Amino acid sequence: ADFDGLIARIKVRKEEAKDAREDGDVEAAITALADAVAAVEASPLQATLLAGTGRASSSERLLAGELADLLGMLGGNQRRAGQGDAAQASFERGRELEESDRLDLNSSYSLVNAITLPLLQGQRSVADQAAALQRAIGAIQRQLQGERRTDRWAWADLALCQLLLGETSAAARSHRRASELGDDESTRSMVAGLAAMRGALAGREPAVAEQIGQAIGDGGRLG
């Protein structure tokens, strides 16, 4: 009963956060999400998520998935509010969950944002993030063997990581798959994300920025 109540509370807070975000009240969204994260932290089951051994139970996976989603949403809203350090901390916590073989989650939002936010903010170089990018590729490829094989955003996340590492042919294949699975709106969103990264890296890492520009192509094509 306590576990079901916790999951219900999480879902309510997530909906409150989405409503607040749509209304332009980012601070209210942050408050709702932080409350849900605190509720998870108070659960005895939370301590076993990363420290446990063996395959995670269904309850652990459910709670870990909800927590990863919360942390990704929290980090995204903190970034919008200009709280860069707090956003990075949220993404890093979510990354640990999404990267875990034991938990075997089907998300990579925090995983990728934990790597790319320091690049966008000029705090780290692509070389600094190379090992993390390789780990992310491994985690996403594992996810693509299961439930996420037809998830356009999984393929887009994989493509971005591959592209940043200079794996241009692999990135092109992943981008084509992302486009095939998506629609015009999702493709525009992917292109906008790549354009932002290209702009952030143009002055510091022109070769990587050029690779990203080639991936976008004329007219906002991908692949």
Side-chain angles (χ1 to χ4, degrees), residues 7-214:
I7 298 300
R9 179 176 177 179
I10 290 169
K11 293 184 181 300
V12 168
R13 292 293 183 266
K14 284 165 63 175
E15 290 304 313
E16 290 174 351
K18 290 175 185 177
D19 289 344
R21 176 71 184 91
E22 289 177 1
D23 291 340
D25 193 345
V26 177
E27 289 299 333
I30 290 172
T31 297
L33 293 165
D35 174 77
V37 170
V40 175
E41 290 172 338
S43 168
L45 192 58
Q46 188 269 343
T48 71
L49 298 183
L50 293 171
T53 58
R55 185 169 179 79
S57 68
S58 58
S59 294
E60 286 176 316
R61 287 195 70 227
L62 175 58
L63 186 60
E66 292 289 353
L67 180 56
D69 195 28
L70 284 171
L71 290 166
M73 293 174 67
L74 179 58
N77 280 284
Q78 288 167 329
R79 181 173 57 190
R80 292 184 187 97
Q83 302 171 12
D85 290 345
Q88 185 66 36
S90 295
F91 289 142
E92 288 290 350
R93 291 185 61 193
R95 175 194 62 78
E96 288 186 297
L97 299 167
E98 292 175 342
E99 222 174 41
S100 168
D101 288 337
R102 175 177 184 269
L103 295 172
D104 193 25
L105 300 185
N106 290 304
S107 59
S108 52
Y109 182 81
S110 287
L111 174 57
V112 172
N113 274 281
I115 297 169
T116 57
L117 183 56
L119 297 177
L120 290 167
Q121 295 183 334
Q123 297 171 334
R124 305 198 74 180
S125 68
V126 172
D128 292 334
Q129 300 293 66
L133 285 164
Q134 290 286 6
R135 290 195 301 273
I137 287 173
I140 298 168
Q141 287 176 331
R142 169 180 56 75
Q143 294 175 9
L144 286 168
Q145 298 302 309
E147 296 176 16
R148 297 194 80 193
R149 60 186 176 277
T150 57
D151 184 340
R152 58 195 171 189
W153 299 112
W155 287 101
D157 282 347
L158 177 62
L160 175 57
C161 294
Q162 292 168 327
L163 189 56
L164 287 169
L165 286 177
E167 299 175 6
T168 54
S169 295
R173 290 192 295 272
S174 298
H175 271 140
R176 283 196 294 271
R177 186 60 176 146
S179 295
E180 290 167 358
L181 292 167
D183 52 22
D184 290 343
E185 183 178 355
S186 62
T187 298
R188 285 194 295 271
S189 179
M190 293 172 199
V191 169
L194 289 171
M197 182 62 71
R198 179 181 60 180
L201 296 177
R204 295 181 285 116
E205 303 195 51
V208 181
E210 175 62 21
Q211 288 174 175
I212 295 173
Q214 291 175 358

